[in-house]
Amino acid sequence: MAVRHAAVVLGSLITILSCTHSAATPAPAQPSPGPGQVTVVPPRRLPPSRDSLAALRATYVAQVMRQIAGREDQPDTVVFKNVQVLKSLTARQLIEKMDKDYGVALSWNCTNCHRFANEGNWASDTSANKRRARFMQQMTNEINGTTLPKLYPRDTPRIDCATCHRGYNEPPGPQYLIPERGKPGGLPMPNFNRGRAGPPPRSPGE
Ligand code: HEC
Ligand code: HEC
């Protein structure tokens, strides 16, 4: 009996510990087991696939584009209410960045950062994820605008969210290195002409 009790306590401890860092999808609180009951740990809900996330985001992108129809190419600071960092983009470029940079880099839906998206409220800052993302954008701008130019004053290379995040909300460590260059699944061999055939293409968002 004592062994069984210890197992239940250990089980709930593991449940509690494994639930402490779940940013995107917090697990529901577990009811404490009654006497003689064994804790059943429900399996964690599998996150949606990247394809289905892209489809979910596409419906929100279409929703916003309808809302701002006719004003897509005006500055985002004019069209939207609460743009504090991404100030040099057009409204269309901002939405593209949300989808193709933020969404793709973290494998998130728009609602992970915009809690009231379904009410058409994109300006709200109630989400901690949105505030973190804004801070991350400032950090990225500092690296691109100040830090990297010190090392590479010409043809300055650029980083973006995906440089670190690689499709996860937590940038993966070295134990998850991608396959070697030139090997199956790895990157192609480097382009040794980089910097000689004109400047590299610039991505929007500074
Ligand atoms: C990782 C978090 C994150 C995700 C995912 C995300 N956004 Fe954003 N979004 C932000 C941040 C941060 C800002 C504010 C940027 C700033 O202050 O410069 C913002 C601003 C906006 C704004 C301007 C709102 C206003 O009135 O100021 C719109 C519209 C918007 N996002 C739409 C979207 C759409 C559509 C998607 C999905 C395709 C999306 N966002 C996904 C973080 C996110
Ligand atoms: C230089 C590397 C780097 C870059 C570039 C970067 N991030 Fe991050 N980001 C991190 C690290 C490290 C964390 C902490 C992850 C953790 O919780 O362990 C993080 C955390 C976050 C989180 C909180 C995730 C969570 O689950 O708590 C958000 C949201 C985020 N980043 C958004 C962005 C966005 C949007 C961009 C691009 C504008 C970006 N990041 C660029 C390294 C980076």
Side-chain angles (χ1 to χ4, degrees):
M1 200 58 209
V3 174
R4 171 102 163 266
H5 184 72
V8 170
V9 171
L10 194 71
S12 11
L13 243 170
I14 291 169
T15 317
I16 292 164
L17 286 178
S18 62
C19 288
T20 45
H21 191 89
S22 54
T25 45
Q30 296 296 313
S32 52
Q37 257 183 312
V38 179
T39 332
V40 181
V41 182
R44 271 198 74 152
R45 189 172 62 84
L46 278 178
S49 75
R50 294 203 177 139
D51 284 348
S52 47
L53 281 165
L56 289 170
R57 288 196 306 268
T59 61
Y60 285 113
V61 168
Q63 179 199 303
V64 179
M65 292 314 268
R66 270 198 306 277
Q67 269 176 25
I68 63 165
R71 294 179 292 152
E72 299 93 335
D73 296 317
Q74 290 177 20
D76 58 2
T77 43
V78 173
V79 177
F80 300 118
K81 293 184 207 121
N82 187 15
V83 178
Q84 297 173 28
V85 181
L86 295 166
K87 287 180 175 170
S88 61
L89 304 178
T90 66
R92 185 200 304 279
Q93 285 169 332
L94 179 105
I95 298 307
E96 218 154 78
K97 188 173 177 68
M98 291 290 134
D99 184 23
K100 300 283 193 276
D101 192 3
Y102 287 20
V104 169
L106 290 116
S107 296
W108 276 5
N109 190 4
C110 313
T111 44
N112 285 109
C113 291
H114 298 281
R115 291 171 61 192
F116 306 112
N118 289 318
E119 287 93 86
N121 177 348
W122 299 90
S124 166
D125 277 348
T126 29
S127 154
N129 285 331
K130 186 183 176 192
R131 297 194 301 272
R132 286 189 191 118
R134 187 180 278 132
F135 186 90
M136 289 268 154
Q137 184 63 60
Q138 276 164 333
M139 175 186 76
T140 304
N141 289 355
E142 273 162 31
I143 294 173
N144 284 332
T146 311
T147 317
L148 282 172
K150 284 186 189 147
L151 195 54
Y152 303 103
R154 285 183 304 123
D155 287 347
T156 311
R158 300 174 60 83
I159 63 152
D160 55 29
C161 314
T163 311
C164 293
H165 281 273
R166 321 262 16 141
Y168 295 94
N169 50 357
E170 296 170 24
Q175 62 273 43
Y176 300 105
L177 289 180
I178 58 170
E180 269 175 79
R181 265 189 195 282
K183 301 265 168 75
L187 293 169
M189 280 308 190
N191 172 13
F192 295 108
N193 286 322
R194 187 181 171 278
R196 281 179 214 161
R202 310 231 137 201
S203 59
E206 236 198 314

